[in-house]
Amino acid sequence: MPVAAAEVLVEVDGKIGIVTLNRPQALNALSISVMDAVVEALGGFDRDPSIHAMVLAGLPRAFAAGADIGEMKNITGGAAAEKQLARHLSNWDKIGLLKKPVIAAVSGFALGGGCELAMACDMIIASETAVFGQPEVLIGVIPGAGGTQRLTKAVGKQLSMEMSLTGRKLSAREAFSFGLVNKVVPVESFLSEAKKLAHTIAAQPPLAVQAAKASVREAVDSKLSEGLSFERQSFFRLFDTQDQKEGMKAFSEKRKPVWTGK
Ligand code: HXC
């Protein structure tokens, strides 16, 4: 499905490529078409020799409030979830595999798939209003796009457990103190600060930058593929449960879910 016009904006500023999520009415919820367009745009920049670094930005109110719950709520059964969502989820991994550095410019909500998207980038500039979290448990599932793996590697087991098991969210300052983000700046300047960092990187020798990026990635990601595969199978299996149905249905109906543990 082609992305609705202007839901993903793409521009070039000197040697940097900027991709902006622009679906304000749904707090930048990451639909399949939006994620396809994001990966296509970033992949295009990755292959373009005139581009040396990239920025993936959200809007001031939301980087992204998660994967699009509307697209998932009617999926029944782990096999169906895998069939319908496996390619979608692989888009988060593709961002992690880009050769050139990607800086996430995060303001407002970075939840669920949105937090996972920011973490799939190489660095994060956050506005003072940024909120990070993996609240999937509150709608009957778990992070499915790398959250249990990348968050644990970023902030450590204790906090990652608490966030994934309770839905606890982190303020920008907390995220900074736990090493999840590089810098916290006023909301007016989150995008300009991310661009500034991207320009600084783009001024360095590109092959060395890419080699440094690949090496740092290797340090943190060596067992990631196994973890991602484990996480994904667990995520898909949750679509066999009534609580997944109830959680997503309750969200759409704007009421509190009633859990049955089935
Ligand atoms: C679809 C979403 C959405 C989402 C918000 N919206 N998040 N639509 N998918 N993830 C929509 C709402 O339905 C609403 O649409 C509009 O955006 C504004 O949201 P409100 O809830 O009215 O705003 P507010 O009261 O300010 O609350 C903000 C919020 C809340 C706390 C961020 O929207 C929220 O809890 N969102 C869901 C967060 C979440 O559970 N994310 C994880 C998703 S699962 P209408 O039409 O009513 O105005 C996930 C799995 C990842 O990400 C792995 C698989 C790919």
Side-chain angles (χ1 to χ4, degrees):
M1 205 196 314
V3 68
E7 282 191 348
V8 175
L9 309 174
V10 181
E11 61 183 304
V12 171
D13 177 6
K15 290 180 182 173
I16 72 170
I18 302 151
V19 176
T20 304
L21 300 161
N22 183 41
R23 205 185 166 206
Q25 73 283 5
L27 300 182
N28 280 348
L30 300 165
S31 63
I32 291 170
S33 60
V34 162
M35 278 305 291
D36 283 350
V38 166
V39 167
E40 190 184 326
L42 291 175
F45 285 141
D46 209 42
R47 291 186 294 275
D48 180 343
S50 69
I51 297 295
H52 291 197
M54 299 172 258
V55 170
L56 176 58
L59 300 172
R61 187 168 174 228
F63 178 71
D68 192 324
I69 297 171
E71 286 183 342
M72 296 186 288
K73 67 180 179 185
N74 293 324
I75 300 175
T76 298
E82 181 161 10
K83 189 163 177 231
Q84 293 180 51
L85 296 176
R87 197 190 60 78
H88 185 35
L89 295 172
S90 74
N91 275 330
W92 277 257
D93 305 342
K94 285 179 190 155
I95 289 168
L97 294 172
L98 294 166
K99 290 194 175 63
K100 296 173 187 170
V102 188
I103 294 150
V106 176
S107 182
F109 300 111
L111 302 177
C115 187
E116 291 168 306
L117 183 57
M119 292 191 295
C121 298
D122 300 305
M123 283 165 268
I124 302 177
I125 298 293
S127 90
E128 285 163 345
T129 65
V131 177
F132 296 85
Q134 299 292 161
E136 287 90 341
V137 70
L138 305 176
I139 55 167
V141 289
I142 64 168
T148 61
Q149 307 303 300
R150 292 195 180 95
L151 186 63
T152 306
K153 286 172 192 271
V155 305
K157 186 199 80 176
Q158 321 296 67
L159 184 58
S160 177
M161 280 281 183
E162 188 182 341
M163 291 173 71
S164 291
L165 274 57
T166 69
R168 176 184 164 189
K169 299 176 181 70
L170 299 183
S171 68
R173 295 274 166 214
E174 286 177 306
F176 178 76
S177 72
F178 294 120
L180 185 61
V181 309
N182 294 73
K183 192 173 183 184
V184 181
V185 299
V187 67
E188 301 74 34
S189 54
F190 78 99
L191 183 55
S192 59
E193 283 286 338
K195 286 190 199 170
K196 197 167 128 194
L197 179 56
H199 280 301
T200 302
I201 294 165
Q204 314 308 321
L207 293 179
V209 164
Q210 288 177 35
K213 166 172 170 163
S215 297
V216 176
R217 284 264 172 197
E218 187 65 23
V220 285
D221 292 352
S222 41
K223 289 270 170 55
L224 183 64
S225 55
E226 289 166 28
L228 288 173
S229 165
F230 181 86
E231 175 195 272
R232 204 135 305 167
Q233 291 309 316
S234 309
F235 174 79
F236 292 139
R237 277 199 299 275
L238 286 164
F239 285 77
D240 285 317
T241 68
Q242 290 173 18
D243 280 349
Q244 169 269 329
K245 284 263 97 47
E246 166 65 5
M248 294 190 179
K249 194 161 174 277
F251 175 80
S252 300
E253 294 168 1
K254 299 187 187 295
R255 62 172 173 81
K256 277 197 164 177
V258 180
W259 303 128
T260 58
K262 291 181 186 148

